[in-house]
Structures are given as C-alpha cells and as structure tokens.
Amino acid sequence: MGVNAAPTASARPPVLRRLGPPLAALAAVAVPTVYIAAVDPNAPGHYPDCPFLAATGWWCPGCGGLRCVHALAHGELSGALHDNAVAVLLFAVLAVLWLRWLWAVVTGGPGPRIAPGARRWVLIALLVLVFTVVRNLPVGAGLAPPLV
C-alpha cells in the first residue's frame, strides 16, 4: 500500500471539516437574528402583520415570535417570555440540540437523535393549541405580545 493510498471507509474527516454543518446552521440562525436585533419589531411598519391575527383578531402561536427574538437578542428574558413563551421553549430546545450536535462533531460521537413518536407530536400539538387559546383569553393576557 503506497503513501497516496485512498483513505479507508472508517477514516473520519478532520474536525475542522466536520464543524462545517453545525457552524453553517449557526450562521443561518445568527444572520436573521442580528437583523431582528437591529430592526425593532415593536416599531410599526418594519415587518408584515400576521394574517391569522388580521383575519380572526386572535394571536396565533407564532405571534410575538419576532419580538421574542428581539428581546432575547437584547438579553431580556422576561420580555421574550411575555412576547412568546412557546418560542422561548423552542429556542432553548434547539440550542440544546445544537450544542449536542456540536459536541458529537468535536468528540466524534453520535449526534442527537430526534425521533418523537406520534404521542409526542399529539402532545406538542395540544400544548400549542392550549397556548394559543389561553393567550387569547383575559386570564392569559400576560402571554400575548403587545399591540403595535
């Protein structure tokens, strides 16, 4: 076998090459986050209105998401939770999954496995439905973003 022989199937690419996908994913999230941090969604006219809110008068599960990202980018966790608590929970889960992915890439271990079953999808859908209904009731007014 010569010096220029092809690598074996078990050879792994170097760590810097393996870091490409997680860093690309981070950049794909960071670029719009920087924009949202700079362009305040609380000021009218910068972003389109929610069609669900316009049609029904109800906050959809995503309403306040941009305000939530803006608040998180400025270190305002309580404001982010007020704007969209479900989005904060989703961002936390995604951050943990990304960190597990990064750790797996660096250490060469297996990446995080995401395989929610049908029961978990139903539970997630029910959570989002309950959040949507409660934030539109007087008792859940603290879960609704401010009107602009």
Side-chain angles (χ1 to χ4, degrees):
M1 194 168 192
V3 174
N4 294 330
T8 62
S10 65
R12 296 182 49 86
V15 146
L16 289 177
R17 182 172 295 162
R18 293 191 323 252
L19 282 172
L23 293 178
L26 180 64
V29 171
V31 169
T33 300
V34 167
Y35 178 80
I36 295 167
V39 181
D40 190 355
N42 294 301
H46 294 293
Y47 299 95
D49 294 332
C50 173
F52 185 81
L53 178 63
T56 65
W58 274 42
W59 300 106
C60 80
C63 279
L66 292 174
R67 292 182 186 105
C68 173
V69 170
H70 182 78
L72 285 173
H74 290 274
E76 301 167 4
L77 181 59
S78 64
L81 286 167
H82 178 273
D83 291 333
N84 194 319
V86 168
V88 173
L89 177 65
L90 174 65
F91 299 152
V93 168
L94 291 176
V96 168
L97 289 172
W98 184 84
L99 287 170
R100 288 182 58 201
W101 180 24
L102 183 67
W103 181 253
V105 164
V106 169
T107 63
R113 184 168 175 240
I114 307 167
R119 284 185 177 173
R120 286 199 180 141
W121 281 118
V122 168
L123 182 63
I124 290 168
L126 285 174
L127 171 73
V128 170
L129 179 65
V130 167
F131 171 72
T132 303
V133 171
V134 169
R135 77 188 314 207
N136 285 288
L137 297 174
V139 70
L143 295 173
L147 285 171
V148 281

